[in-house]
Amino acid sequence: MKVIEVKNISKTYTLGAAAKDSIVDTFRGLFKPSSSSKQTFNALTDISFDVDQGEVLGIVGKNGAGKSTLLKVLSRITEPTNGEIVMRGRVASLLEVGTGFHPELSGRENIFLNGSILGMTRAEIKSKFDEIVAFSGVEKFIDTPVKHYSSGMYVRLAFSVAAHLEPEILIIDEVLAVGDAEFQKKCLGKMKDVAGQGRTVLFVSHNMAAVKGLCSRAILVENGKLALNSFEVEEVVQLYSRQGKEDQGGSSLVTFENKPNSVLELGLKDEESNLILNSGNLSFRVKFHLEIPEGADLNIAFFTSDHQKLFVLLGNEINNGDGFKIGVNELIFTLPKYILNKGKYYINISMHKNYSDFLFAKREAFYFTIEESSVVYNKYPNLVPGPINLY
Amino acid sequence: MMELKISSNSPTKFSTIVTDLWNYKDLIAILAWRDYKVRYAQTFLGFVWAFIQPLATLLIFTLIFSRVAKVDTGSTPYPLFAQSGMLAWTYFAFLISQAGNSIVGAQAMVKKIYFPRLVIPISKAIVGLIDFMISLVILIVIGVYYQFVPSANILYLPLFILLLIIGGLGVGIWVSALTVRFRDFTHLLPFMVQIGMYASPVAYAANMVPEKYQWLYALNPMVGVIEGVRWSIIGGEAPGQLIFFSIGVMLLLFLTSLWYFKKVERVMADLI
């Protein structure tokens, strides 16, 4: 059964109008439609899709592509300019965790407040109260004002309330990007449960691993339109990953601001661009500056383009524990032959002292693409999936 | 299964406003409760403040209007006279300023989640009722002190309270929706409240206004309401036709405010 039918939705914003409107115009507008010609912006253009009951639909797209507007329209926060949406069942939307949380109120009071805002009745909240508290893990502080909570506790409590909503249709925006890794895992598990109970979920995320793991279908939003006619998760994820900034072959080296105690350069040693045709010998070079080398180390983390961490290399190990010198250091390291499969990857690099204080950190510092990897790839092109390749 | 249609320009029916609000009655209650709970958070005196503020105002009124300006209230003791006017005015003033600023004050919520937005200003009417009750308690204590016995008019008081709520919400909802687009109203509100008090028979009696300006004075719908409240508590001359004018204006304000609010509600999250 179709639970959600989205038919030709468009949303147009008038640019710069809010501040410039005069009161007179508005009062005139009360009685007759305004005829002014203002600059407009189409945040969404002619979007249509259906969602069946029990389906988990991923909504994927770059920042500014229109995902948030789509969610706002779907969750009735704002009206579409054109088109129609039909929803069958109780809808709850979670565009943020902890909406309406008040710092002066205790955890207990905020559960009731936030639950009501999310659309639960008092009786419902009461019956789930213990579960919510247990899931959040803040039992001890449940009667403390939340302004004294750590940000992690705050977010855990907020998510717990949301996780215990029992709507037929749930709309979620990237709320999983909260809390520590362990809690994120718990959240993902909870989401899987929700989906398993025959409820319909719309899930917006940048985390392709989560999309792959949770969604049965997906749509890709680009410039306010559906970029792909297909709803296959795999296709959508691939196209999205290709849209990333690593798209075209770029420089084989990135440089950073020349400052003391920071990474200066990171890139591939013997390549002309960051597009590598064959990953036979993949050597990287990193240049960095240190004022006090004692206790300092470098952390080089490799990720797939959908943000799965692959492995981490430590500067001191690459250097065989020889330590670093004051001033500019250079490290060269080579990955085992053919280890990376065909695909896009990036490196997070950070420099820290005594494994705790960060001197420098850069996420997605360097992107590179491997077009073809192992020697056996040509022989079995479809049989060697996954980022790591051992042949 | 419940079916929901979202589209542009779906017409608003009055009945949907009522059912929407009924479905969200828990939220109205909890928002009002939050406001009240938070108001005296981390204060030493706490709830005592709720008494200090009206008592201090009453004391100042009594000193200035009764002792210095020598306002004549006939056989009625001045504190009783002033408190019955303040009872009405304070609630009205609270409602227009709190409800008026309520949508902008709740913008974080408005942008992130759907609920009938009317819930926000309406919850303020309930918060105000708590202060109203405190003022009423003060009035009763004063009445006991002066050994005052109210007449049967008191039966009309609930009616006037209802009129106060409708009128206060009418203005408050209008302002809250206008503020979404024009923040000017945030600055205008304090003036409205201040001027409104002097333009209403709070500290003095309506019949003290010169005869030839009475018609102008009566254009303020609060004149009829405050006189009505005072009449139902203290007795004396009935407010007469004035009260029907007030009822008419308040009802008109209230109904048009719902209409305008619903109109703005569609784009509230975009404009705020």
Side-chain angles (χ1 to χ4, degrees), chain A residues 159 176 183-193 203 207 210 214:
Chain A
F159 184 87
L176 291 176
F183 192 72
Q184 280 192 29
K185 224 187 237 170
K186 211 168 156 186
C187 298
L188 266 164
K190 185 79 194 172
M191 298 249 322
K192 266 197 178 128
D193 287 353
F203 176 55
N207 182 343
L214 281 172

Side-chain angles (χ1 to χ4, degrees), chain A residues 173-288:
Chain A
D173 187 5
E174 199 96 71
V175 281
L176 291 176
V178 300
D180 49 33
E182 197 194 340
F183 192 72
Q184 280 192 29
K185 224 187 237 170
K186 211 168 156 186
C187 298
L188 266 164
K190 185 79 194 172
M191 298 249 322
K192 266 197 178 128
D193 287 353
V194 169
Q197 288 158 3
R199 280 186 231 138
T200 311
V201 182
L202 297 190
F203 176 55
V204 168
S205 181
H206 288 289
N207 182 343
M208 290 305 120
V211 170
K212 279 189 195 167
L214 281 172
C215 303
S216 46
R217 289 200 305 161
I219 56 173
L220 179 63
V221 185
E222 195 184 15
N223 297 326
K225 295 175 195 147
L226 290 191
L228 208 59
N229 248 337
S230 161
F231 292 96
E232 291 298 315
V233 175
E234 203 51 50
E235 277 183 61
V236 166
V237 169
Q238 270 191 15
L239 184 59
Y240 172 71
S241 305
R242 235 179 287 150
Q243 282 180 348
K245 58 178 164 184
E246 78 286 12
D247 215 353
Q248 310 93 4
S251 164
S252 66
L253 189 80
V254 281
T255 52
F256 304 100
E257 206 184 331
N258 195 348
K259 278 192 306 195
N261 287 322
S262 62
V263 174
L264 309 174
E265 277 179 27
L266 171 67
L268 287 153
K269 193 173 153 267
D270 304 311
E271 302 287 336
E272 307 250 296
S273 81
N274 65 349
L275 190 71
I276 301 133
L277 288 180
N278 188 304
S279 77
N281 268 322
L282 213 49
S283 294
F284 291 84
R285 188 176 63 184
V286 53
K287 250 191 198 173
F288 55 100

